[in-house]
Amino acid sequence: MEATRFRIPVLLLLRLLGSVLVAESAIAFNWGTVSSHRLSPSVVVDLLKQNKIQKVKLFSADPYILKALKGSGIQVMVGIPNEMLQEFASSPVAADAWVRQNVSTYAFKGGVDIRYVAVGNEPFLTSYNGQFQSFVLPALANLQQSLAKLNLAGYVKLVVPCNADAYEGAVPSQGSFRPELSQIMTQLVSFLNSNGSPFIVNIYPFLSLYGNKDFPQDYAFFDGTSHPVMDGANVYTNAFDGNLDTLVAALNRLGYSQMPIVIGEVGWPTDGDINANLTAARAFNQGLINHVLKGYGTPLRPGVPPMDVYLFSLLDEEAKSVLPGNFERHWGVFSFDGQAKYPLNIGTGRRLANAKDVEYLPSRWCVADPSKDLSGVTNHLKLACSVADCTTLLYGGSCNSIGDKGNISYAFNSYYQVLKQDEKSCDFDGFGMVTFLDPSIGDCHFLVGITNANTAVVRVLSIWVWGLWMSVILRLWGCL
């Protein structure tokens, strides 16, 4: 008797396969702290809870942030900077000490729900010229042993966030890892698979548009395009799916077709470039969220969206280096003070709520004295913008058209607020004056700073140190 043949629809089969690949997708956030106006960690944690954000990614193991996250129930990914990889690769003792201090100290009932440790951040980036490449796998091995010693290896997973330049392909189905990364990626993916970790990738359609004048603008978004990418029977109508499937094909070539994928960073800036504005950021992020949460998946993984998507970023970071572009300080969905920049539904069914209990400095601003000849103000302008953020004044910025006096006033005020409205910080050899009337012009908002526990002197020193460090790194990095 002939065996009964069951024919399962292809889409159903792929959806069943998807249940193996990934649980329900979550919208998460990157929480960066390179800011000249840094909110209290407790205020930010409350902001996350208000908006039902259940997962967050940190770029370091900041003890103040981790303490604030205790008991929150928020799942956390803590980061290890690339500069620490060599030490962990060569010293199991150093790895043990880091895990004890930054993971096991917080990983207890009622503590911090640390799910991932990000070992480096884009360590295979092309412009690093391989300087971190040889340290990744040895560091992973030592850190894995450290977790195992503390009985944490079954719960806390090691991951390595990769930039999308780790793989390439003329069309998505031809995706493969860069030839010089072939061996190490084979070993890395094997490690991740063995330990139940996902592959984490950072994807930025905005940077594709920013870096290529011929890139079709509508291909960066999710509303369809007049420039689709044809790949055999598959049609790609947005850059995100095309990029993601290039990775899927690269993983398939290594024999890991079911490797779960997490998007470690993705987003759209709101200022600092002609294509960076509130309208575009909202369109991209809402389109992405809808695309992911509806479970569309991609042509190579239909019905299987990424495991999690970490939006970049939660808050603006006004002290970041601008070597990648003037937009670099404006990726936040929230402004520096935790106020939502635009309506966004992250799957909760309502708009984002603003931060509560934000403590502002008094409502006063520093502006150029209108009675003075401002022809000799150039050096003061340079000083102000070397410490504070003036990127909105440049081409494509929201304050680009407020005129010379407006530019000077904006720079003076930005400096004044970073220095916590210190009386002397608005002097500028007599060119500045304090006003109690808001000098904002149209869409150009003159900010009022927020208070925090740090003194002005410490904050300025911190900004300078971060700026120096980021400048060195990004000169090696190139364009992010």
Side-chain angles (χ1 to χ4, degrees), residues 32-50:
T33 58
V34 189
S35 178
S36 52
H37 302 281
R38 187 171 172 181
L39 279 173
S40 163
S42 61
V43 171
V44 179
V45 171
D46 183 62
L47 176 66
L48 295 170
K49 292 166 68 176
Q50 283 186 75

Side-chain angles (χ1 to χ4, degrees), residues 166-351:
Y167 48 88
E168 56 194 9
V171 291
S173 64
Q174 295 179 13
S176 62
F177 290 106
R178 296 198 323 258
E180 69 272 23
L181 294 179
S182 178
Q183 181 177 0
I184 194 169
M185 280 299 177
T186 300
Q187 295 172 310
L188 172 60
V189 176
S190 175
F191 174 91
L192 297 174
N193 183 67
S194 297
N195 291 287
S197 299
F199 191 101
I200 296 189
V201 63
N202 301 338
I203 297 176
Y204 283 105
F206 170 82
L207 293 181
S208 298
L209 178 62
Y210 176 77
N212 182 359
K213 64 179 181 179
D214 296 322
F215 189 88
Q217 186 169 13
D218 59 358
Y219 188 60
F221 296 90
F222 295 88
D223 296 326
T225 177
S226 57
H227 302 82
V229 171
M230 312 301 293
D231 183 8
N234 293 328
V235 180
Y236 291 87
T237 60
N238 67 81
F240 179 82
D241 282 356
N243 193 309
L244 186 54
D245 265 0
T246 306
L247 170 60
V248 170
L251 291 170
N252 290 348
R253 290 182 191 281
L254 298 184
Y256 294 92
S257 59
Q258 296 189 46
M259 169 66 67
I261 296 173
V262 167
I263 307 301
E265 296 178 24
V266 62
W268 200 279
T270 58
D271 214 328
D273 181 71
I274 195 68
N275 292 308
N277 54 68
L278 296 175
T279 300
R282 181 187 182 189
F284 178 84
N285 282 332
Q286 193 64 71
L288 170 69
I289 291 167
N290 295 344
H291 185 68
V292 170
L293 294 185
K294 287 180 180 177
Y296 290 142
T298 63
L300 292 185
R301 283 188 177 180
V304 185
M307 184 174 169
D308 292 313
V309 174
Y310 289 80
L311 293 180
F312 191 87
S313 63
L314 185 67
L315 302 162
D316 280 347
E317 297 176 80
E318 298 87 2
K320 291 186 72 174
S321 169
V322 294
L323 287 179
N326 294 323
F327 53 81
E328 190 63 15
R329 297 174 176 177
H330 306 282
W331 289 96
V333 171
F334 294 88
S335 54
F336 72 93
D337 55 352
Q339 307 305 297
K341 295 181 184 178
Y342 48 85
L344 191 68
N345 179 2
I346 59 172
T348 61
R350 59 187 178 89
R351 293 182 176 184

